[in-house]
């Protein structure tokens, strides 16, 4: 049986600017909102002791309603986020249980993550101090400057990083303190802990764990659910 030692911060405070006016967190996926499916994935994880959702102030009541309607019992807090992703995660960190040992950070708009892969990432983070889900890139990647290709990285070394990203609590707080002291703002939690010299393990995930960013992604997610 997995240790009950991990708090997850689900970040759902984005602007949904590429969704043609629709709030992607509450878009319907088979009768359940995107954020509801995301919370359910962590609800079913043995290692998760609490779920914290960071959202926009005006969406707090809606998030609580989604959780209640979908039987989310591990939701401990719904809090308003900040101006950046890092600030929003810090808002979640401020209410984390004191005795939790691991911090997981997940995008609210990744509703198809499997609880088995969540558990695997947590297990790897317990060993290495930090771990993230990711998948090998399928396409050839080009580095471009002023419209011109300047480099072609070796594809076998490239992974598309997903969430959750999981860290020992002590390491994650050290990263946050370093960022604050040096006035740094990271969009990726791995980069945050990498800044203090921590090597993060790459837990190979699957391609179903897509992030809902545009209306087309909703169609893809529905197809993956078999609708």
């Amino acid at each position: 049986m997995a240790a009950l030692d991990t708090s997850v911060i689900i970040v759902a405070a984005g602007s949904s600017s590429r969704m043609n006016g629709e709030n992607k967190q509450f878009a319907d996926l088979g009768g359940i909102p995107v954020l509801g499916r995301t919370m359910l994935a962590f609800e079913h994880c043995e290692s998760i002791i609490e779920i914290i959702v960071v959202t926009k102030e005006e969406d707090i009541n809606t998030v609580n309603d989604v959780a209640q309607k979908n039987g989310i019992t591990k939701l401990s807090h719904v809090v308003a986020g900040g101006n950046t992703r890092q600030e929003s995660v810090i808002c979640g960190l401020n209410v984390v249980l004191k005795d939790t040992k691991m911090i997981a950070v997940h995008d609210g708009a990744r509703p198809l993550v499997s609880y088995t892969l969540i558990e695997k990432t947590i297990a790897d983070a317990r060993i290495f101090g930090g771990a993230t889900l990711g998948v090998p890139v399928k396409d050839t990647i080009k580095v471009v400057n002023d419209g011109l290709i300047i480099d072609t990285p070796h594809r076998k070394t490239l992974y598309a990083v997903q969430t959750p990203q999981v860290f020992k609590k002590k390491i994650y707080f050290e990263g946050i303190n370093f960022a604050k002291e040096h006035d740094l703002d990271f969009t990726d939690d791995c980069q945050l802990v990498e800044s203090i010299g921590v090597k993060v393990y790459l837990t190979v995930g699957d391609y179903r764990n897509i992030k809902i960013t545009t209306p087309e992604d909703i169609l893809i997610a529905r197809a993956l659910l078999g609708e």
Side-chain angles (χ1 to χ4, degrees), residues 91-198:
C91 292
L93 283 175
N94 289 336
V95 296
V96 161
L97 283 170
K98 290 183 179 179
D99 56 352
T100 194
K101 293 181 173 62
M102 310 292 293
I103 301 293
V105 183
H106 187 70
D107 299 319
R110 289 189 187 271
L112 302 184
V113 64
S114 72
Y115 66 87
T116 54
L117 284 175
I118 295 170
E119 288 288 3
K120 190 173 188 310
T121 312
I122 294 171
D124 289 338
R126 290 192 187 110
I127 296 169
F128 295 95
T132 181
L133 278 179
V135 290
V137 299
K138 298 178 180 180
D139 300 318
T140 298
I141 304 298
K142 300 290 186 180
V143 179
V144 178
N145 187 29
D146 291 332
L148 297 174
I149 295 170
I150 60 173
D151 193 20
T152 305
H154 190 43
R155 189 169 63 187
K156 287 186 177 180
T157 67
L158 299 177
Y159 281 73
V161 174
Q162 304 172 340
T163 63
Q165 299 183 357
V166 188
F167 312 92
K168 290 183 177 178
K169 185 169 76 171
K170 181 178 182 293
I171 289 173
Y172 196 76
F173 272 91
E174 286 176 3
I176 289 291
N177 291 335
F178 179 84
K180 288 180 178 178
E181 289 170 7
H182 295 83
D183 196 26
L184 300 171
D185 190 272
F186 296 105
T187 59
D188 176 77
D189 300 284
C190 290
Q191 191 179 14
L192 175 76
V193 301
E194 287 164 21
S195 70
I196 59 170
V198 174

Side-chain angles (χ1 to χ4, degrees), residues 24-27 29 32-38 108-111 212 218:
K24 62 186 178 183
Q25 303 294 343
F26 306 120
L29 281 183
I32 300 175
V34 166
L35 185 57
R37 287 196 178 274
T38 302
R110 289 189 187 271
I212 307 296
I218 290 288

Side-chain angles (χ1 to χ4, degrees), residues 11-120:
V11 186
S15 62
S16 298
S17 58
R18 288 171 281 182
M19 285 294 295
N20 297 335
E22 182 179 17
N23 188 329
K24 62 186 178 183
Q25 303 294 343
F26 306 120
D28 181 78
L29 281 183
I32 300 175
V34 166
L35 185 57
R37 287 196 178 274
T38 302
M39 287 191 283
L40 280 168
F42 289 90
E43 175 78 15
H44 295 148
C45 290
E46 291 183 355
S47 297
I48 298 296
I49 192 170
E50 66 170 343
I51 298 170
I52 298 163
V53 175
V54 184
T55 189
K56 292 184 286 188
E57 183 78 44
E58 61 267 29
D59 290 335
I60 289 177
N61 289 338
T62 306
V63 173
N64 278 313
D65 186 54
V66 168
Q68 184 177 11
K69 287 180 178 178
N70 290 280
I72 308 298
T73 64
K74 293 183 179 181
L75 182 66
S76 62
H77 297 87
V78 182
V79 298
N83 294 322
T84 67
R85 188 181 191 281
Q86 183 172 294
E87 289 179 6
S88 292
V89 174
I90 290 172
C91 292
L93 283 175
N94 289 336
V95 296
V96 161
L97 283 170
K98 290 183 179 179
D99 56 352
T100 194
K101 293 181 173 62
M102 310 292 293
I103 301 293
V105 183
H106 187 70
D107 299 319
R110 289 189 187 271
L112 302 184
V113 64
S114 72
Y115 66 87
T116 54
L117 284 175
I118 295 170
E119 288 288 3
K120 190 173 188 310

